Amino acid sequence: MEFWAMVASESDSGIVLARQQISEEFLGPGTVTIKVHYSSANYKDALAITPGAGVVRKYPIVPGIDLTGEVVASEDEDFVPGDLVVAHGYDIGVSHNGGFAEYARVPAEWVVKLDGLSPGDAAALGTAGFTAALSVQSLLDRGLTPDDGPVLVTGATGGVGSVSIDILSGLGFEVIASTGKTDAGDLLAELGANEVIGRLPGDAKVRPLSKAQWAAAVDSVGGESLAYILSSIGYGGAVAVSGLTGGTALPATVLPFILRGVALLGIDSVSIAIEKRRDFWAKLGKELRPQHLSTIEHFSPITDAGKVLHAIQHGTHSGRTVFGVAGEF
């Protein structure tokens, strides 16, 4: 069987993402074969076509760290043809061919059966929405309540940020959205942000300990921004961090941790155990379900993947782009 895929390959001019026919053997090993309905655009997918980024271990590869669709064949008794599923994380789109193809084959222990979500909604959430849910839940597990005060969300127009705002506002929290996009105020207000501020730290000096401004934060930026946030979290607060667009270095001190009892909560959505992954996807279809997903969702055919990923590379992309795969080649 041959079918269409967007394949990333190395060339003299860099990494090229191109429409290509591939065979079933190209997919590699796995126990569940999925007809892909949708994939989505993520920062990691943009890195997969960025020379020297170090995300992809070997080319050529089908990128796409998220995929949703319908099971067409299974060697595992937990899945049967016709099941609607989502798969993301682990090695998908990195060292195992991903969602930018009409078919994908993955191990059963990477697959989640959908409950309460359509394949389109699951793709709109994807890794970013899953990471947002993990971030919010980590703060709730620390005992955070709306009575504790405002919660800051950085990278507010990105996938993690926008879904986090939607979930937090739906739970009754006062949300402060931080973004470098000056024209995003109306969108963020529609998602539930009570206030929109600029990119942090802005003109402020990063101090070891600053005036407490927020009860907690969801941060997808890292770097100097995270250092400023840590210094400005109130007593007993926490920061759930999942990103590094602002850099990997953390120019901070221990003072927020030992004088205010602030916690830094690392959020990993790649290698999390499948049982916990399935539990969180169930929550995303129920109590943690965002109320304004259609507001941040954009649809594009999979053949536009290169254009969308280049927008992510240049920082001009907002919200969640869902790639239609089935019937879009």
Side-chain angles (χ1 to χ4, degrees):
M1 179 176 69
E2 290 196 339
F3 50 90
W4 291 105
M6 299 297 292
V7 180
S9 305
E10 289 181 304
S11 71
D12 292 339
S13 59
I15 299 169
V16 177
L17 183 66
R19 178 175 176 267
Q20 182 178 320
Q21 272 199 316
I22 61 174
S23 66
E24 190 174 353
E25 289 72 26
F26 189 93
L27 294 178
T31 52
V32 179
T33 303
I34 301 164
K35 181 179 181 180
V36 181
H37 291 179
Y38 302 98
S39 189
S40 60
N42 295 278
Y43 182 64
K44 201 168 186 178
D45 296 317
L47 292 179
I49 63 167
T50 302
V55 168
V56 172
R57 295 159 204 172
K58 185 179 180 181
Y59 293 93
I61 191 170
V62 177
I65 66 171
D66 297 340
L67 63 95
T68 69
E70 177 183 352
V71 173
V72 293
S74 175
E75 300 170 26
D76 188 282
E77 63 183 12
D78 289 338
F79 299 95
V80 297
D83 283 344
L84 298 178
V85 296
V86 58
H88 65 103
Y90 304 112
D91 291 333
I92 297 173
V94 175
S95 61
H96 191 102
N97 288 302
F100 290 6
E102 291 184 288
Y103 291 90
R105 184 186 291 130
V106 296
E109 55 269 24
W110 294 358
V111 183
V112 178
K113 198 176 297 186
L114 289 175
D115 178 18
L117 290 168
S118 68
D121 285 346
L125 288 165
T127 293
F130 182 78
T131 303
L134 288 176
S135 300
V136 172
Q137 188 63 54
S138 72
L139 298 177
L140 298 177
D141 291 344
R142 283 271 303 174
L144 183 70
T145 71
D147 292 336
D148 293 325
V151 178
L152 173 73
V153 177
T154 65
T157 63
V160 175
S162 56
V163 177
S164 294
I165 291 169
D166 202 345
I167 295 175
L168 285 164
S169 64
L171 294 173
F173 286 91
E174 178 186 353
V175 182
I176 312 300
S178 168
T179 178
K181 296 183 172 67
T182 57
D183 59 348
D186 290 344
L187 168 65
L188 296 173
E190 188 174 349
L191 293 177
N194 300 88
E195 182 182 353
V196 179
I197 62 176
R199 186 178 285 126
L200 297 172
D203 296 329
K205 182 178 179 181
V206 180
R207 302 179 184 278
L209 207 61
S210 301
K211 177 184 176 182
Q213 301 181 61
W214 309 291
V218 174
D219 178 55
S220 58
V221 177
E224 191 177 41
S225 176
L226 176 57
Y228 177 78
I229 293 163
L230 286 168
S231 75
S232 306
I233 294 292
Y235 191 87
V239 181
V241 59
S242 62
L244 44 70
T245 58
T248 57
L250 181 58
T253 73
V254 299
L255 293 186
F257 308 112
I258 64 176
L259 296 183
R260 287 186 182 160
V262 172
L264 181 59
L265 309 174
I267 305 300
D268 167 54
S269 61
V270 176
S271 302
I272 184 172
I274 189 62
E275 295 82 8
K276 191 172 183 180
R277 187 183 297 268
R278 289 169 177 163
D279 177 59
F280 267 92
W281 272 105
K283 289 182 177 181
L284 273 167
K286 297 171 185 173
E287 63 265 34
L288 292 182
R289 185 177 186 134
Q291 301 302 303
H292 304 92
L293 196 57
S294 60
T295 302
I296 60 172
E297 178 184 5
H298 316 289
F299 179 88
S300 290
I302 188 62
T303 48
D304 283 350
K307 179 173 65 177
V308 175
L309 296 184
H310 281 112
I312 293 177
Q313 288 174 327
H314 293 95
T316 57
H317 181 268
S318 296
R320 293 287 294 153
T321 293
V322 174
F323 293 128
V325 178
E328 296 293 339
F329 275 98

